[in-house]
């Protein structure tokens, strides 16, 4: 059902304040407990994100960039898509994606900054553990720092539960996303040509290439 792919509906979620697709949740709990034995406290700061939440994020950023930073609408959109995407096209709609931090630093302001995951950063120990162990539990880094990769910038905090996400992705690729989103009132501040440009960009990124990982 395309409504599940776009985050409009979802009937397979578990969890409290942060929800995940049930198989993703089970796998994460196994990984979290294993990390804890090694002194690493993995905390999810973003899991399932529905369509309306993504739309709110999009429009909030658009307003900020056009009013506070005086960017033109096109420049604002280009700034947004460095890290965010059009409502209906976020992997977080599937409940298979997690953004993670170290719980010991849960009060850190603006935690999702790549430098904080590198050597000397507060989340470096977490990142090292994830690099060594995450794939064992089915979690793969979605937006890596491969220099030739196009699209969203490096996100060392964003992991995908591949056993399920690749199935969602396969179904997602079958739908005419431009046609679908044109019918569900998400085109605030976006025209059809810009939608096509953004989606073409996404097709050339790790967003889609993860489906090829066995």
């Amino acid at each position: 059902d395309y409504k599940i792919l776009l985050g409009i509906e979802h009937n397979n979620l578990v969890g409290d304040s942060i929800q995940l697709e049930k198989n993703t949740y089970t796998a994460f709990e196994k990984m979290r407990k294993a990390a804890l034995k090694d002194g690493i406290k993995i905390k999810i700061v973003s899991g399932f994100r529905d369509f309306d939440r993504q739309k709110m994020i999009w429009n909030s950023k658009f307003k900020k960039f056009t009013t506070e930073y005086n960017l033109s609408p096109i420049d604002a959109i280009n700034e947004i898509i460095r890290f965010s995407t059009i409502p209906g096209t976020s992997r977080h709609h599937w409940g298979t994606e997690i953004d993670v931090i170290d719980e010991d630093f849960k009060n850190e302001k603006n935690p999702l900054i790549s430098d904080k995951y590198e050597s000397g950063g507060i989340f470096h120990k977490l990142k090292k553990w994830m690099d060594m162990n995450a794939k064992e539990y089915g979690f793969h880094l979605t937006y890596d720092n491969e220099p030739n990769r196009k699209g969203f910038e490096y996100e060392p905090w964003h992991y995908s539960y591949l056993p399920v996400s690749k199935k969602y992705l396969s179904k997602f690729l079958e739908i005419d996303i431009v046609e679908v989103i044109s019918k569900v009132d998400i085109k605030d501040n976006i025209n059809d040509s810009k939608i096509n440009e953004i989606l073409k960009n996404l097709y050339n990124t790790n967003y889609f290439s993860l489906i090829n990982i066995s």
Side-chain angles (χ1 to χ4, degrees):
D1 189 325
Y2 79 87
K3 290 186 177 180
I4 290 178
L5 297 174
L6 274 61
I8 297 170
E9 295 178 358
H10 213 300
N11 57 6
N12 201 26
L13 296 172
V14 295
D16 298 319
S17 59
I18 292 179
Q19 295 184 307
L20 298 174
E21 181 273 334
K22 66 178 182 180
N23 296 293
T24 304
Y25 178 86
T26 299
F28 172 75
E29 279 299 298
K30 290 180 180 178
M31 182 171 70
R32 184 186 64 80
K33 291 174 182 177
L36 196 57
K37 291 180 180 179
D38 292 334
I40 303 295
K41 300 176 183 177
I42 306 175
K43 178 178 176 61
I44 299 176
V45 293
S46 184
F48 170 72
R49 191 184 303 149
D50 68 15
F51 181 92
D52 289 337
R53 173 64 178 164
Q54 189 70 21
K55 183 176 180 179
M56 185 182 75
I57 291 171
W58 177 277
N59 285 326
S60 175
K61 288 188 175 183
F62 184 87
K63 181 178 180 180
K64 177 179 180 179
F65 291 139
T66 54
T67 58
E68 294 183 28
Y69 295 93
N70 296 314
L71 297 183
S72 70
I74 293 299
D75 287 342
I77 288 173
N78 286 329
E79 184 65 24
I80 293 170
I81 61 175
R82 290 177 59 207
F83 292 102
S84 298
T85 190
I86 301 170
T89 67
S90 174
R91 295 181 67 106
H92 280 279
H93 292 331
W94 307 338
T96 59
E97 313 301 298
I98 56 174
D99 293 343
V100 296
I101 66 169
D102 184 328
E103 189 170 6
D104 282 343
F105 301 94
K106 63 183 179 181
N107 295 322
E108 176 76 5
K109 186 177 181 180
N110 300 320
L112 302 183
I113 296 175
S114 59
D115 286 350
K116 296 182 180 182
Y117 291 78
E118 306 309 319
S119 181
I122 58 174
F123 300 135
H124 183 54
K125 286 177 60 178
L126 164 69
K127 180 63 166 53
K128 284 180 63 177
W129 192 94
M130 294 293 285
D131 286 344
M132 292 177 61
N133 300 284
K135 291 181 180 179
E136 178 182 345
Y137 299 92
F139 289 93
H140 291 253
L141 191 67
T142 310
Y143 307 118
D144 60 25
N145 58 352
E146 167 58 46
N148 294 324
R149 183 178 63 79
K150 299 178 182 179
F152 298 136
E153 296 195 12
Y154 175 43
E155 294 188 356
W157 54 82
H158 183 153
Y159 288 81
S160 177
Y161 183 59
L162 196 63
V164 177
S165 67
K166 67 180 180 181
K167 296 176 183 177
Y168 278 110
L169 180 54
S170 180
K171 294 178 181 178
F172 183 86
L173 292 173
E174 294 175 359
I175 66 177
D176 184 338
I177 187 65
V178 175
E179 179 183 357
V180 170
I181 63 178
S182 69
K183 297 177 180 178
V184 289
D185 188 29
I186 65 167
K187 293 168 63 178
D188 296 12
N189 317 312
I190 315 173
N191 58 37
D192 286 340
S193 62
K194 194 62 188 179
I195 290 173
N196 279 304
E197 179 186 332
I198 295 169
L199 293 175
K200 182 179 179 180
N201 195 32
L202 288 175
Y203 272 86
N204 292 321
T205 72
N206 238 15
Y207 185 109
F208 294 104
S209 64
L210 270 175
I211 198 172
N212 298 318
I213 300 176
S214 59

